[in-house]
Amino acid sequence: MLFKYQVFLCFVKVGRPGARSEPPGGRRWAGSCCPGPAPGGQQDNVSRLRSSSLEIREKGSEILREQLDAAQKELKLKDKECERLSQVRDQLEQELEELTASLFEEAHKMVREANVKQAAAEKQLKEAQGKIDVLQAEVSALKTMVLTSTPSSPNRQAHPQLLSPGTRSKGASPRHGGGHTRNKSASWALPLAPGGNLDLHSLQPVREDKEMDNVLYAEFLTWKDRPSLDRTSAFLGRIYREDIGPCLSFTKSELSQSVQNAVENNSLTIEPVAVSALPMVKANAIECGGPKKCALSGMSRSCKHRIKLGDRESYYHISPSSRARITAVCNFFTYIRYIQQGLVRHDAEQMFWEVTRLRREMTVAKLGFYLTDTDQG
């Protein structure tokens, strides 16, 4: 706007270029065919116009230079602001990554502590159950000795005061004897219950020892380097042949294969059957079993649990033995998945022995041994 105003003033001062100007007094130059301005005045006007044009250019250039400098300063400020915002974004991303890593580490720590506590609780439970079994056996033996003792025919094991001094010093106490005497020459004899039968409850517990199989351990280490659920590996292939396959091999082969697929896909559900819910089962009694018939073995058994395979609508009643076999395989796959996901923080040897223990549970369940609800409680 200022530039246009200066140009306007210059044109007002010098007049339009090429305009006719009269000499003072309105007189014209003599000897000229066409009227025109005096040569001296024309040159002055041209000089003034040129000087004004130069001044306008210089001032316009100066204004543009100032605007350019201002624009460059503003651009630098915006670049600094962008750089600051970029630093803030990088800092926030780093803090978010650290927080995520911390949360994952805390979750892994909680899972590890929970596994340790669960293992300790299971160990204490087994020890307590063993002590209860021993105490029950001792109480039963004492009751037997007391009931078999009468005034006419006293039981000398129940009444040590009736024994002779020599026999009393050599005899065993009722607490550890199951109706037999022990001396130096027969200290290795097995305990016998009243009637001459072998008393298994009086046997002392044997300390379990173990020795690692190098072939199995090498296969486990190879699998652990790149853990997966692919059965083509030597480690899982052996377990499928020796443990999983036999453990999940039931009379109903087609249903057995469906159960194995559901266990592998982690889509099998086991739930107890309430007494009030038994008449509401819509599944076919022959195909899916029933409260008194196992759907996997086809045998008449009291079925207190039922399974559901993935998204199927049907429920299949299973016997306690079938449930123990399926549970043993599920426990093995659960531990294998924990190793695959990196949730197990034990060393390789501890992992191997835990896998071996789970394999033993599958073998025991396959042979028909399982814990009843009373034992588990």
Side-chain angles (χ1 to χ4, degrees):
M1 190 68 181
L2 179 62
F3 177 74
K4 293 180 179 180
Y5 180 72
Q6 290 176 346
V7 173
F8 175 76
L9 291 179
C10 292
F11 275 99
V12 170
K13 290 180 180 180
V14 300
R16 293 182 300 171
R20 297 170 59 185
S21 61
E22 297 278 35
R27 293 162 54 183
R28 299 181 181 176
W29 295 95
S32 176
C33 298
C34 298
Q42 181 69 23
Q43 292 179 356
D44 293 338
N45 291 336
V46 173
S47 300
R48 285 195 297 270
L49 181 60
R50 289 179 178 176
S51 61
S52 298
S53 177
L54 291 175
E55 290 177 0
I56 292 171
R57 290 181 180 178
E58 291 177 356
K59 289 183 179 181
S61 300
E62 184 177 357
I63 292 172
L64 292 175
R65 193 178 297 109
E66 291 176 355
Q67 292 178 352
L68 180 60
D69 294 338
Q72 290 178 349
K73 290 180 180 179
E74 185 177 1
L75 184 60
K76 288 182 180 180
L77 293 176
K78 289 185 177 182
D79 290 340
K80 291 182 178 180
E81 182 69 15
C82 291
E83 184 177 359
R84 186 183 67 83
L85 293 176
S86 178
Q87 293 177 355
V88 171
R89 182 194 62 187
D90 296 339
Q91 184 178 0
L92 290 176
E93 290 179 351
Q94 184 178 0
E95 292 178 356
L96 181 60
E97 292 178 356
E98 293 176 354
L99 179 61
T100 303
S102 176
L103 290 176
F104 273 107
E105 183 65 25
E106 187 68 19
H108 291 167
K109 182 179 178 181
M110 294 174 64
V111 172
R112 182 170 60 253
E113 292 177 353
N115 290 336
V116 172
K117 291 181 180 179
Q118 182 181 359
E122 292 177 352
K123 183 179 179 181
Q124 293 177 357
L125 178 61
K126 291 181 179 179
E127 292 176 354
Q129 290 177 347
K131 292 179 180 179
I132 291 174
D133 293 338
V134 173
L135 292 175
Q136 288 178 347
E138 291 178 353
V139 171
S140 178
L142 290 174
K143 286 182 179 179
T144 302
M145 288 188 292
V146 170
L147 292 176
T148 56
S149 176
T150 62
S152 61
S153 179
N155 190 328
R156 297 183 181 275
Q157 294 293 336
H159 303 280
Q161 68 274 13
L162 300 179
L163 297 174
S164 61
T167 307
R168 189 184 309 168
S169 62
K170 297 179 182 179
S173 65
R175 181 178 183 85
H176 297 287
H180 72 287
T181 59
R182 296 173 59 188
N183 50 40
K184 293 182 180 179
S185 61
S187 60
W188 50 268
L190 294 176
L192 297 177
N197 296 325
L198 180 64
D199 188 3
L200 297 179
H201 295 291
S202 299
L203 292 176
Q204 296 295 329
V206 180
R207 187 177 71 88
E208 183 181 29
D209 206 351
K210 55 188 179 181
E211 182 178 354
M212 182 181 298
D213 188 299
N214 294 333
V215 177
L216 300 180
Y217 188 59
E219 293 177 353
F220 172 74
L221 292 179
T222 303
W223 174 84
K224 181 178 174 296
D225 291 338
R226 299 182 63 182
S228 67
L229 298 180
D230 186 6
R231 67 174 67 184
T232 58
S233 64
F235 170 69
L236 284 183
R238 178 189 296 272
I239 295 178
Y240 266 98
R241 292 191 309 270
E242 298 178 358
D243 304 308
I244 298 176
C247 193
L248 295 182
S249 178
F250 297 95
T251 305
K252 307 296 183 180
S253 58
E254 184 177 355
L255 182 58
S256 300
Q257 186 62 41
S258 299
V259 170
Q260 179 173 332
N261 294 336
V263 172
E264 293 174 350
N265 299 330
N266 199 19
S267 60
L268 183 139
T269 305
I270 303 178
E271 60 182 31
V273 179
V275 177
S276 59
L278 292 179
M280 300 300 295
V281 178
K282 299 180 180 180
N284 186 280
I286 298 177
E287 179 185 0
C288 302
K292 298 296 182 180
K293 187 174 184 180
C294 178
L296 288 170
S297 64
M299 301 179 65
S300 297
R301 294 289 185 272
S302 178
C303 302
K304 299 180 180 180
H305 292 80
R306 61 183 184 178
I307 60 175
K308 183 179 180 182
L309 308 179
D311 298 332
R312 294 187 182 181
E313 297 294 335
S314 301
Y315 286 90
Y316 301 88
H317 290 77
I318 57 175
S319 64
S321 176
S322 299
R323 172 178 175 265
R325 293 164 66 173
I326 296 174
T327 303
V329 179
C330 289
N331 291 338
F332 171 79
F333 273 101
T334 299
Y335 190 72
I336 290 298
R337 290 190 184 96
Y338 282 165
I339 296 177
Q340 183 186 14
Q341 297 169 6
L343 300 178
V344 182
R345 299 299 182 182
H346 298 156
D347 55 26
E349 186 173 346
Q350 290 176 320
M351 293 182 188
F352 173 76
W353 282 119
E354 179 62 19
V355 169
T356 304
R357 185 187 69 81
L358 295 172
R359 292 185 63 185
R360 182 174 66 178
E361 286 187 358
M362 288 189 284
T363 301
V364 171
K366 168 61 180 175
L367 294 176
F369 296 95
Y370 61 91
L371 297 176
T372 61
D373 294 339
T374 303
D375 296 336
Q376 292 174 351

